[in-house]
């Protein structure tokens, strides 16, 4: 019924949508005495009318939608209905601006609210939108990166993190990988649907509905495999190992920072595991002990793995990035070589499709697009779906040109922004009178990949490729904790690209349109 209703113009949906909502949606109103709870329920009723009423003139008021989702956050059925409703109109410019504007609120609900749910409703919604927009996916990526730092077990200085939450921490890591897979994989069957539409085998309405169904199906396949089960620290620790596991074993580890002034830094046996482009350190193996817990962890993307200089002990090596330094000892040289090889591979290039994706979902279930393509093409094997599509070694080892270009852009943009924030981070640890002198030199050394942009904008803003920096104009401000830095960039707009879809001649192309043509974003 929801699918039928969503096909109607928004102005005609009011009665049908309200009828389709759960029965208790209306039962909650009208039977209570005047009280604070009744006032809250009346507020919910007004929100429903504001979103689905006839006076909105085919507009989706995203502010009211977000408030409605929050008010009914304890009812997953209502949240699911609202997510499907918004996804239906996500291609509308005003609606998409609203989705991006309220991304912090959506991210908060996805991380915290759904942790106790049995169904990843909002996560699937975010994955659907990520297939629409690389810009949205990048913004969500940086929010998740910040949340990972908030909930990580140990701070860079070696002290325990008082805000550590194993459930939220593991959930953010899984979400981060899912967003990347969604960006790279996209909706590869959209070209088949477009061909059927051009041949007149499906109508424009069918083309749009099948495209939306395909995005939902892909999001469901990705999200279903990584839904965390349980809320304890032990279950969260085991969940990190169970999915995306690459390598693990016991190593000797010595803390880089003393825990106390009179305590010696001793070598201790710890269980290390590489998973989800992270290096985890457990007190004991999570596979053998229910009391296993994460002691510390480090992101491996861009990390440096090398032999320890002038080691005091045999078989020593270290892993470090801008924030963390781990020093470990292996049992022998062969084991050391295995560990360093795995870590180096994981720090540089990581398969974006884990072998286990799709195992918990019936491949043919809800795959409307696969059925339509098989019917028109006459050969079921022409389209892979479900487990076959995701776990195929051919897909893992060899991405298509468009998938590879999306992955390279996504990675280069993240690296570019990491380099920008790295400038301010390096200046933070310098003496205040030296910061202004060092800042121009650091900005001058900044590298610009072929296609990156300054992401402090919306998808509907004009596309401007970052070309170079006015490093001499860099300004630094001193605060107690941070080092805010004002950076100036020379940008380029109106690039002429000879794309097979007709090229780009409009200098006023916005971010979403440019990325759509350049990287074949569905």
């Amino acid at each position: 019924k929801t699918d039928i209703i969503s096909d109607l113009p928004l102005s005609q949906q009011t009665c049908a949508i309200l009828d389709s909502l759960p029965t208790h949606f209306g039962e909650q109103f009208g039977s209570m005495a005047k009280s604070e709870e009744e006032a809250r329920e009346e507020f919910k009723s007004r929100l429903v009318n504001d979103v689905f009423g006839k006076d909105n003139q085919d507009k989706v008021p995203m502010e009211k939608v977000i408030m409605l989702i929050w008010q009914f956050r304890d009812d997953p059925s209502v949240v699911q209905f609202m997510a499907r409703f918004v996804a239906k109109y996500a291609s509308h410019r005003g609606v998409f601006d609203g989705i991006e504007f309220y991304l912090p609120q959506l991210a908060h609900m996805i991380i915290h609210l759904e942790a106790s749910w049995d169904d990843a409703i909002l996560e699937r919604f975010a994955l659907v939108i990520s297939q629409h927009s690389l810009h949205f996916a990048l913004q969500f990526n940086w929010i998740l990166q910040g949340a990972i730092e908030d909930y990580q077990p140990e701070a860079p200085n070696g002290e325990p993190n008082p805000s550590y939450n194993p459930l939220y921490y593991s959930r953010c890591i899984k979400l981060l990988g899912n967003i990347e897979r969604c960006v790279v994989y996209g909706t590869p069957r959209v070209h088949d649907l477009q061909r059927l539409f051009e041949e007149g085998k499906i109508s424009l309405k069918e083309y749009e509905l099948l495209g939306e169904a395909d995005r939902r199906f892909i999001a469901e396949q990705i999200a279903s495999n990584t839904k965390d089960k349980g809320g304890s620290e032990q279950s969260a620790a085991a969940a990190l190992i169970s999915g995306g596991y690459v390598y693990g074993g016991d190593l000797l580890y010595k803390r880089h920072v003393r825990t106390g002034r009179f305590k010696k830094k001793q070598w201790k046996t710890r269980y290390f595991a590489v998973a989800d482009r992270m290096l985890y350190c457990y007190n004991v193996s999570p596979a053998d002990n229910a009391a296993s817990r994460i002691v510390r962890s480090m992101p491996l993307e861009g990390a440096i793995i090398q032999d320890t200089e002038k080691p005091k002990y045999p078989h020593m090596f270290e892993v470090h990035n801008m924030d963390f330094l781990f020093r470990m000892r292996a049992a022998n040289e062969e084991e050391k070589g295995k560990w360093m090889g795995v870590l180096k591979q994981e720090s540089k290039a990581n398969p974006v499709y884990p072998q286990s994706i799709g195992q918990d979902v019936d491949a043919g279930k809800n795959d409307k697009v696969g059925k339509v393509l098989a019917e028109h093409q006459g050969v079921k094997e022409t389209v892979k779906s479900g487990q076959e599509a995701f776990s195929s070694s051919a897909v893992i080892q060899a991405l298509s040109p468009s998938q590879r270009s999306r992955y390279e852009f996504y990675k280069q943009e993240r690296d570019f922004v990491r380099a920008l924030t790295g400038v301010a981070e390096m200046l933070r640890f310098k003496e205040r009178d030296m910061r202004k002198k060092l800042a121009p030199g650091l900005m001058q050394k900044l590298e610009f990949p072929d296609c990156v942009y300054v992401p402090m904008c919306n998808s509907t803003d004009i596309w401007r490729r970052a070309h170079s920096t006015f490093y001499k104009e860099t300004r630094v401000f001193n605060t107690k904790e941070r080092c805010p830095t004002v950076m100036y960039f020379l940008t380029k707009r109106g690039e002429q690209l000879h794309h097979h879809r007709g090229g780009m001649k409009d200098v006023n192309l916005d971010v979403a349109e440019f990325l759509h043509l350049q990287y074949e974003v569905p």
Side-chain angles (χ1 to χ4, degrees):
K1 188 174 182 180
T2 301
D3 291 335
I4 297 174
I5 293 172
S6 62
D7 295 341
L8 300 174
L10 184 59
S11 59
Q12 301 177 15
Q13 293 183 4
T14 307
C15 295
I17 287 179
L18 291 177
D19 289 342
S20 69
L21 290 174
T23 55
H24 63 272
F25 210 70
E27 294 174 357
Q28 293 179 349
F29 311 133
S31 60
M32 300 180 181
K34 281 292 181 181
S35 62
E36 182 179 346
E37 184 174 356
E38 183 181 33
R40 185 170 64 252
E41 297 299 337
E42 289 177 355
F43 176 67
K44 292 180 181 180
S45 182
R46 289 197 301 270
L47 286 176
V48 173
N49 184 67
D50 289 342
V51 173
F52 301 112
K54 298 180 180 180
D55 297 335
N56 54 26
Q57 298 178 349
D58 293 340
K59 295 182 180 179
V60 180
M62 281 305 301
E63 178 184 2
K64 302 295 178 63
V65 168
I66 297 299
M67 293 175 66
L68 192 59
I69 292 175
W70 178 251
Q71 289 293 329
F72 284 94
R73 60 188 180 274
D74 296 329
D75 192 335
S77 61
V78 176
V79 176
Q80 181 178 23
F81 182 88
M82 295 305 302
R84 291 281 296 273
F85 173 74
V86 176
K88 167 69 177 177
Y89 296 92
S91 58
H92 294 197
R93 191 182 187 93
V95 176
F96 204 90
D97 275 343
I99 294 173
E100 288 188 340
F101 183 81
Y102 290 103
L103 176 57
Q105 288 82 357
L106 282 171
H108 176 83
M109 288 189 282
I110 292 171
I111 295 171
H112 303 90
L113 185 61
E114 285 192 341
S116 58
W117 286 4
D118 294 329
D119 196 7
I121 299 168
L122 291 177
E123 178 183 348
R124 290 199 300 270
F125 170 74
L127 295 179
V128 168
I129 303 302
S130 296
Q131 294 174 63
H132 272 296
S133 171
L134 284 172
H135 180 75
F136 175 92
L138 285 164
Q139 299 288 336
F140 194 19
N141 163 83
W142 289 314
I143 291 177
L144 291 173
Q145 292 279 11
I148 288 174
E149 291 187 11
D150 289 341
Y151 297 125
Q152 64 188 355
E154 189 176 74
N157 62 4
E159 296 181 359
N161 180 14
S163 301
Y164 170 54
N165 187 298
L167 182 59
Y168 297 157
Y169 181 68
S170 62
R171 179 158 177 75
C172 289
I173 292 172
K174 298 294 185 182
L175 286 168
L176 202 62
N178 286 350
I179 291 294
E180 182 172 338
R181 295 179 193 108
C182 221
V183 165
V184 179
Y185 190 73
T187 53
R189 299 184 292 189
V190 71
H191 299 299
D192 296 321
L193 292 174
Q194 185 176 1
R195 184 173 63 253
L196 292 179
F197 168 66
E198 292 172 352
E199 293 173 354
K201 295 181 179 180
I202 59 175
S203 65
L204 176 61
K205 195 65 178 179
E206 289 174 326
Y207 171 72
E208 293 175 348
L209 290 175
L210 288 171
E212 180 186 353
D214 194 31
R215 284 187 287 270
R216 288 202 307 266
F217 177 73
I218 296 298
E220 182 180 359
Q221 291 288 290
I222 293 176
S224 61
N225 185 72
T226 55
K227 183 70 178 74
D228 295 326
K229 303 296 183 182
S232 66
E233 181 171 353
Q234 290 75 20
S235 62
L240 289 171
I241 288 286
S242 62
Y245 179 84
V246 177
Y247 192 71
D250 289 332
L251 289 171
L252 289 173
Y253 172 82
K254 179 182 285 191
R255 295 178 61 91
H256 182 57
V257 180
R258 284 195 177 103
T259 57
R261 181 176 298 181
F262 303 104
K263 288 186 178 181
K264 293 182 178 181
K265 295 188 294 181
Q266 297 179 344
W267 290 99
K268 294 183 179 180
T269 300
R270 292 287 183 257
Y271 185 88
F272 285 84
V274 179
D276 298 305
R277 225 176 312 191
M278 298 284 293
L279 175 60
Y280 298 103
C281 175
Y282 295 82
N283 58 338
V284 293
S285 171
D288 303 329
N289 197 318
S292 175
R293 60 183 177 85
I294 300 175
V295 180
R296 58 189 60 86
S297 62
M298 174 198 297
L300 286 176
E301 185 176 4
I304 297 174
I305 295 90
Q306 62 186 18
D307 291 311
T308 303
E309 295 184 5
K310 299 179 180 179
K312 295 182 179 179
Y313 304 93
H315 320 309
M316 286 183 63
F317 65 98
E318 60 186 42
V319 184
H320 67 87
N321 57 19
M322 185 179 296
D323 300 316
F324 294 93
L325 170 61
F326 286 5
R327 287 198 181 101
M328 286 90 73
R329 285 172 56 192
N332 50 58
E333 200 65 22
E334 181 181 358
E335 184 180 283
K336 171 187 169 182
K338 288 183 180 179
W339 271 104
M340 293 186 67
V342 170
L343 292 168
K344 286 180 179 179
Q345 182 178 3
E346 199 73 2
S347 68
K348 294 178 181 179
N350 181 79
V352 292
Y353 309 113
Q355 294 281 354
S356 56
I357 281 188
Q359 292 179 353
D360 297 332
V361 178
D362 183 0
K365 184 180 180 181
N366 300 326
D367 187 11
K368 300 178 183 178
V369 178
K371 295 177 182 178
V372 171
L373 292 175
E375 176 184 350
H376 286 285
Q377 294 173 350
V379 182
K380 293 184 178 180
E381 286 77 12
T382 54
V383 180
K384 292 182 178 181
S385 62
Q387 182 176 345
E388 182 183 6
F390 286 98
S391 63
S392 171
S393 59
V395 175
I396 296 174
Q397 299 299 330
L399 300 175
S400 69
S402 61
Q403 290 171 342
R404 186 176 294 108
S405 64
R406 282 198 298 271
Y407 175 71
E408 290 175 352
F409 167 77
Y410 190 72
K411 183 178 184 302
Q412 288 177 354
E413 180 66 21
R414 290 184 304 174
D415 292 343
F416 175 66
V417 172
R418 185 181 293 110
L420 294 181
T421 57
V423 170
E425 189 69 10
M426 284 187 285
L427 293 174
R428 185 164 72 96
F429 297 100
K430 304 297 182 181
E431 296 295 332
R432 293 193 174 189
D433 56 347
M434 292 296 296
R435 292 175 178 175
K436 295 182 179 180
K437 297 178 182 178
L438 295 173
L442 294 174
M443 291 298 297
Q444 186 180 11
K445 296 177 182 178
L446 195 65
E447 296 182 1
F448 286 78
D450 294 335
C451 187
V452 291
Y453 70 113
V454 180
M456 299 176 67
C457 61
N458 295 326
S459 289
T460 52
D461 290 339
I462 300 298
W463 165 263
R464 293 180 174 87
R465 178 170 61 88
H467 180 270
S468 58
T469 178
F470 294 104
Y471 61 90
K472 294 182 180 179
E473 303 298 325
T474 305
R475 298 290 181 266
V476 179
F477 300 90
N478 294 322
T479 65
K480 291 183 178 180
E481 297 293 337
R482 300 293 177 186
C483 183
T485 307
V486 179
M487 306 171 180
Y488 295 88
F489 297 92
L490 175 64
T491 60
K492 182 178 180 180
R493 61 187 285 188
E495 299 171 89
Q496 183 69 34
L497 300 178
H498 301 285
H499 197 273
H500 71 274
R501 292 187 179 179
M504 301 174 61
K505 300 178 181 179
D506 186 359
V507 297
N508 294 318
L509 282 170
D510 59 33
V511 173
E513 291 171 325
F514 173 85
L515 297 176
H516 171 76
L517 290 173
Q518 176 72 351
Y519 299 106
E520 295 186 351
V521 178

